[in-house]
Amino acid sequence: MISRRNVLKTGTAALAGLALPYVAKTASAAKADYVMTFGHTFGDATKDYMATGLNFFKERAEKYAGGKLLVDIHEAGSLGGQTVLPQKVLTNAIQACQLSTQNFTPYASVYNLLDFPFLFPSNEKFEEILASDVFVDSDLIKEPESKGFKVLPGMWSNAGHRVIGVSKVADKVIKMPDDLDGIKIRVTGSKVEQQVFKLTPANPVSIAWGETYQALQQGAADALNVGLGPLTATKIYETLGSATMSQISLNCHITVLNKKWFDKLPSDVQGAIMKAAAESFEYQKEKQRTANEKIVKLWESSGIKMHTLSDDEKKAWSAIAGHKLPVWDEFKNRYGKDLYERIAGMTS
């Protein structure tokens, strides 16, 4: 399946650069001792809705490196979509990229753990764990390293909890799991997300991210489960009639580097990158919270019916799909039971 955020450029898919094996260096790049060519799929035009923190990271990393490093950012999918970018990082065609944790699962299956339904009671608790030793000292770092990736702790772009958006064509507000009866819901490549909706009366369907807008318009899909920021940045929200704040799982992006490239950097440049990453996350969190508040007002003014699950409704969802159910035992064993239990112990 094509990336969920398949090459976004001001809300439209752009396929430029998918086949380019290497990236030409800019004139300014030649002046730096080290160049981090960085690809991501959101453009400057979407910054009011999806806060990546990348420009902030660039400014700080270059400053702390004292002119030795240039962070050469290529936005809006110009170097490829989220299934292409990590492949380019592995071959060192580029040195860094940002992609969703779900799109990273083919490279590090442990990231499926972050998708367990209702594992994180709040966005703040999720972000607390991202900054904790539970993350830094776990397979969330070690498994990617064994594949050739350097995960950049702190360099996150977290859009918050996903929402279940239902198209205007389907004309329905989702409150209880049974409300999904007959609903074709577009899912990502995440095995956990697919299983969540298999436990409901919904019909999960695989649709490329770049085709989702049209699919919702024409009825090929009735609903989807994505964060406020990405849905607004791509204008998919225009197809929605309702949105349910379900808090099933998070919509978060991770930054990965080519590990061999990073390991060869001088220690002061490595330190500059790590320090800038940590500061970038604090900046991004604040900006995204403001953006999400703005988005909710925009959606409501656009006529989208917004619903937040009540405590009783959330219990009904947890009863059929919650992460503590036996149906998830196989997934926990496959992706890391001990780590799951450490995370669950912090969120209960």
Side-chain angles (χ1 to χ4, degrees):
M1 188 174 105
I2 298 175
S3 164
R4 290 182 307 114
R5 283 175 189 77
N6 180 33
V7 198
L8 305 178
K9 189 168 187 178
T10 61
T12 306
L15 299 178
L18 288 179
L20 293 178
Y22 296 100
V23 180
K25 306 301 181 187
T26 62
S28 56
K31 299 177 182 179
D33 296 331
Y34 306 96
V35 178
M36 178 195 292
T37 302
F38 196 125
H40 72 112
T41 54
F42 290 101
D44 190 60
T46 67
K47 64 183 179 181
D48 289 340
Y49 307 120
M50 190 66 201
T52 64
L54 293 182
N55 288 333
F56 182 93
F57 168 75
K58 169 183 169 66
E59 177 187 332
R60 293 299 174 95
E62 292 177 351
K63 174 183 175 182
Y64 296 148
K68 295 181 181 180
L69 175 71
L70 175 77
V71 181
D72 188 19
I73 296 177
H74 296 250
E75 63 176 30
S78 61
L79 300 184
Q82 289 190 22
T83 56
V84 174
L85 290 173
Q87 297 171 22
K88 290 188 173 183
V89 170
L90 279 181
T91 62
N92 206 33
I94 64 177
Q95 289 68 55
C97 74
Q98 194 174 84
L99 72 163
S100 73
T101 55
Q102 290 184 324
N103 277 326
F104 195 50
T105 56
Y107 301 92
S109 62
V110 67
Y111 278 84
N112 281 287
L113 291 178
L114 301 183
D115 261 358
F116 277 124
F118 302 105
L119 177 57
F120 300 100
S122 69
N123 193 48
E124 289 73 22
K125 177 58 69 173
F126 176 64
E127 292 175 342
E128 176 185 322
I129 289 173
L130 293 183
S132 73
D133 290 341
V134 170
F135 172 77
V136 175
D137 296 334
S138 74
D139 282 342
L140 290 164
I141 292 289
K142 296 173 185 176
E143 184 181 347
E145 285 189 345
S146 71
K147 306 293 178 59
F149 291 102
K150 168 71 176 179
V151 175
L152 203 50
M155 190 62 195
W156 297 85
S157 179
N158 178 29
H161 277 103
R162 295 170 181 269
V163 300
I164 299 177
V166 181
S167 71
K168 294 175 182 177
V169 176
D171 190 24
K172 197 172 189 179
V173 178
I174 304 301
K175 298 181 179 179
M176 301 289 279
D178 285 348
D179 292 333
L180 285 171
D181 189 18
I183 293 290
K184 300 185 292 294
I185 187 163
R186 182 261 179 193
V187 293
T188 69
S190 165
K191 301 301 182 185
V192 172
E193 184 190 42
Q194 293 171 13
Q195 180 63 29
V196 167
F197 290 105
K198 286 178 182 177
L199 295 171
T200 75
N203 177 24
V205 293
S206 177
I207 295 174
W209 179 244
E211 299 170 7
T212 302
Y213 189 108
Q214 186 176 29
L216 290 165
Q217 272 191 324
Q218 298 181 352
D222 303 310
L224 77 176
N225 183 47
V226 182
L228 291 167
L231 288 173
T232 309
T234 58
K235 299 188 181 298
I236 289 176
Y237 82 97
E238 296 174 346
T239 70
L240 303 180
S242 73
T244 299
M245 308 292 210
S246 61
Q247 294 189 314
I248 294 174
S249 60
L250 280 295
N251 196 156
C252 187
H253 291 67
I254 186 173
T255 296
V256 294
L257 313 181
N258 179 284
K259 185 175 183 300
K260 288 183 178 179
W261 175 83
F262 181 83
D263 288 346
K264 291 179 181 178
L265 294 174
S267 59
D268 59 334
V269 177
Q270 290 181 349
I273 291 172
M274 300 297 282
K275 182 178 180 181
E279 293 178 3
S280 173
F281 190 32
E282 293 304 313
Y283 172 86
Q284 189 276 334
K285 285 189 290 186
E286 179 183 348
K287 291 295 183 182
Q288 193 62 53
R289 288 191 182 96
T290 301
N292 285 349
E293 293 173 0
K294 182 188 301 184
I295 289 169
V296 170
K297 293 178 181 179
L298 171 65
W299 285 25
E300 289 175 338
S301 67
S302 300
I304 298 174
K305 300 172 185 175
M306 306 293 290
H307 178 72
T308 299
L309 294 183
S310 67
D311 289 342
D312 287 343
E313 289 167 349
K314 192 176 293 186
K315 287 179 182 177
W317 282 87
S318 293
I320 68 161
H323 66 94
K324 296 181 180 180
L325 297 176
V327 69
W328 296 112
D329 289 349
E330 177 186 350
F331 290 80
K332 294 168 188 175
N333 290 331
R334 186 186 311 165
Y335 302 129
K337 184 177 181 180
D338 290 345
L339 179 55
Y340 160 77
E341 290 177 349
R342 289 177 67 193
I343 294 173
M346 292 182 66
T347 61
S348 60

